[in-house]
Amino acid sequence: DENWTYSTSIEPKVDKMDKFSVKGSQFQEPLLEFSSACSGCGETPYVKLATQLFGDRMIIANSSGCSSVWGGTFGEIPYKKNSKGRGPAWGRSLFEDTAEYGVGMYLASQ
């Protein structure tokens, strides 16, 4: 469809404003798209903003819960790569050990 082709060809408007200002952050490319979260979900706007600020360097250690359902349901994942092929690294752990799991992810990346 020509509208989809056009919309995916538009380049992000980077360096127009300070990336870390409220307004300027919204000009950054989001690396969270098409989440299957419930309508009105309060988590997804915050995760979208986090991907706009830190997305190509993010390491996400996720606990079981809503965000693990919309963030990594089998067959789909709402995170995407940027034009350089980089995007958030996402992993899910069970309940209480998410902090330790995240530290392990961090140490492995060093």
Side-chain angles (χ1 to χ4, degrees):
D1 168 81
E2 65 185 67
N3 292 333
W4 177 259
T5 304
Y6 171 74
S7 67
T8 57
S9 69
I10 299 171
E11 294 293 321
K13 294 178 166 90
V14 296
D15 301 327
K16 297 286 183 194
M17 302 179 123
D18 178 23
K19 174 181 179 175
F20 296 103
S21 70
V22 173
K23 192 173 185 178
S25 67
Q26 297 307 297
F27 286 99
Q28 304 303 310
E29 179 181 14
L31 299 180
L32 177 79
E33 298 182 326
F34 309 118
S35 78
S36 56
C38 300
S39 61
C41 176
E43 286 183 355
T44 53
Y46 292 108
V47 177
K48 176 186 166 275
L49 176 61
T51 67
Q52 287 174 293
L53 296 174
F54 313 109
D56 62 345
R57 309 182 302 280
M58 283 180 73
I59 299 173
I60 303 167
N62 201 9
S63 296
S64 293
C66 289
S67 58
S68 67
V69 173
W70 63 254
T73 304
F74 179 75
E76 72 171 63
I77 185 164
Y79 301 101
K80 71 173 205 129
K81 300 180 286 185
N82 62 16
S83 61
K84 297 176 184 171
R86 296 180 52 105
W90 182 90
R92 179 176 159 262
S93 182
L94 290 174
F95 308 106
E96 300 90 21
D97 66 345
T98 305
E100 294 84 355
Y101 181 65
V103 168
M105 291 171 76
Y106 169 76
L107 292 174
S109 70
Q110 298 305 304

